[in-house]
Amino acid sequence: MNNAVASALVQAAHRVEARLEEALAGVGLSIAKFETLSILVSQDRPIRLSELASKLVCVRSNVTQLVDRLETEGLVKRADDPADRRAVRAEVTALGRKRQAAGTPVVNAVLQDVANKLAAVDAQVLKRALDAVQ
Amino acid sequence: MNNAVASALVQAAHRVEARLEEALAGVGLSIAKFETLSILVSQDRPIRLSELASKLVCVRSNVTQLVDRLETEGLVKRADDPADRRAVRAEVTALGRKRQAAGTPVVNAVLQDVANKLAAVDAQVLKRALDAVQ
DNA sequence: ACTGTATCATTCATATATGAATAATGCTGT
DNA sequence: ACAGCATTATTCATATATGAATGATACAGT
């Protein structure tokens, strides 16, 4: 079957995401929330929501809702952009930093385990091939 | 980085799914709808919604909504199960068959192209590795 | 300076997905 | 026969995602 490899790729990714969701649920996060917090922590400065959308590779209306939920949980705080009155910037709170830090080893453990399961293929070769997909 | 391969896997799969969604949109379908129709066509008999959920690897409430939308579009029809009054069976309509048939080459073209992009790794070896992921 | 266009975040409608709660029906052990 | 448990689909609340429409603000060219 021509389709078999590509289908297997998509299905494997779904299983990985399911594991990540389950693992992150243990520290009160989802993949979307963890990724958002990780960007905010790594930048370590208030980020425009449109910049966040671009880094998350999603549309802005999604970020609006995501930040709504993160703000409700006290993990993120919205602040005006002094340089542009249209813009809103998101900033990670101390609790958000703590939560992201709790999620990191959890995520890494899953990703490491997945990498081990893929050991039949050279990691470098595989990564290059995957990055070449579209 | 330990994470790199597993992350690349998930991201590549997202790109594949985005391509599939875009390609299927051209024939008036989504991935979820195409997969559902494909199951109904391949079985060629009325299927219980719970059986559909099991084949789609999702929860039943999702199937209820999916079949709602498919039924609204006239691609699927609900029918009572004469053997079990709790059950509802879904059946593909003639239009549903036509739509699924239109989607098939579109999906195969994308999957084939993805397989080509993965050609640096032996397809059999890669498939086995991917299937071994959890 | 002003007009038109672009950009920003939000809101709304919708699709996909989960999980809890519910109601109807089926089945098993006594 | 029936009590208790299991199964079925649906509904509801919610999360994640998209895209169109909106309103506010910025900016470019005249």
Side-chain angles (χ1 to χ4, degrees):
Chain A
M1 281 301 172
N2 286 331
N3 306 347
V5 173
S7 293
L9 168 65
V10 171
Q11 283 162 25
H14 281 168
R15 293 192 296 272
V16 172
E17 289 185 309
R19 284 189 61 186
L20 286 171
E21 290 290 6
E22 194 189 350
L24 280 169
V27 297
L29 287 176
S30 62
I31 293 175
K33 286 172 181 171
F34 177 74
E35 284 176 346
T36 304
L37 291 177
S38 293
I39 289 168
L40 293 175
V41 166
S42 77
Q43 297 287 311
D44 205 28
R45 62 181 170 91
I47 305 283
R48 286 188 172 200
L49 298 201
S50 57
E51 199 181 338
L52 212 41
S54 142
K55 286 183 197 298
L56 288 167
V57 192
C58 72
V59 299
R60 278 182 286 197
S61 56
N62 192 26
V63 172
T64 295
Q65 300 174 79
L66 208 39
V67 171
D68 282 350
R69 292 188 294 267
L70 287 166
E71 208 172 17
T72 299
E73 289 184 68
L75 306 179
V76 148
K77 195 173 51 126
R78 272 184 174 90
D80 291 339
D81 185 336
D84 186 339
R85 292 202 291 163
R86 293 168 303 180
V88 172
R89 299 189 303 178
E91 202 174 349
V92 62
T93 64
L95 180 60
R97 275 176 205 281
K98 213 175 293 182
R99 204 69 73 86
Q100 192 274 338
T104 298
V106 158
V107 166
N108 285 339
V110 172
L111 295 179
Q112 179 61 60
D113 186 61
V114 170
N116 291 343
K117 298 249 168 64
L118 291 168
V121 182
D122 178 78
Q124 283 233 290
V125 171
L126 179 52
K127 180 174 186 314
R128 255 194 286 275
L130 291 169
D131 288 345
V133 170
Q134 202 54 323
Chain B
M1 277 301 172
N2 286 332
N3 306 349
V5 174
S7 293
L9 168 66
V10 171
Q11 284 161 25
H14 281 167
R15 293 192 296 274
V16 173
E17 289 185 309
R19 286 189 60 186
L20 286 172
E21 290 289 6
E22 194 188 350
L24 281 169
V27 297
L29 287 177
S30 62
I31 294 175
K33 287 172 181 172
F34 176 74
E35 284 177 345
T36 304
L37 291 177
S38 294
I39 290 168
L40 293 175
V41 167
S42 78
Q43 297 287 311
D44 205 29
R45 63 180 170 91
I47 305 282
R48 287 186 173 200
L49 298 201
S50 58
E51 199 181 338
L52 213 40
S54 144
K55 287 183 196 299
L56 288 167
V57 192
C58 72
V59 299
R60 277 183 286 202
S61 57
N62 192 27
V63 172
T64 295
Q65 301 175 79
L66 208 40
V67 171
D68 282 349
R69 292 187 295 269
L70 287 166
E71 208 171 18
T72 298
E73 290 184 69
L75 307 179
V76 148
K77 197 174 49 130
R78 272 185 174 89
D80 291 340
D81 185 336
D84 187 339
R85 292 202 293 164
R86 292 168 305 180
V88 172
R89 299 188 305 177
E91 201 174 350
V92 63
T93 64
L95 181 59
R97 275 175 206 280
K98 213 175 292 181
R99 204 69 74 83
Q100 192 274 339
T104 299
V106 157
V107 166
N108 285 339
V110 171
L111 296 180
Q112 179 60 60
D113 186 62
V114 170
N116 292 342
K117 299 249 169 62
L118 290 169
V121 181
D122 178 78
Q124 284 233 292
V125 172
L126 179 52
K127 181 176 184 313
R128 255 194 287 273
L130 290 169
D131 289 345
V133 171
Q134 206 53 322

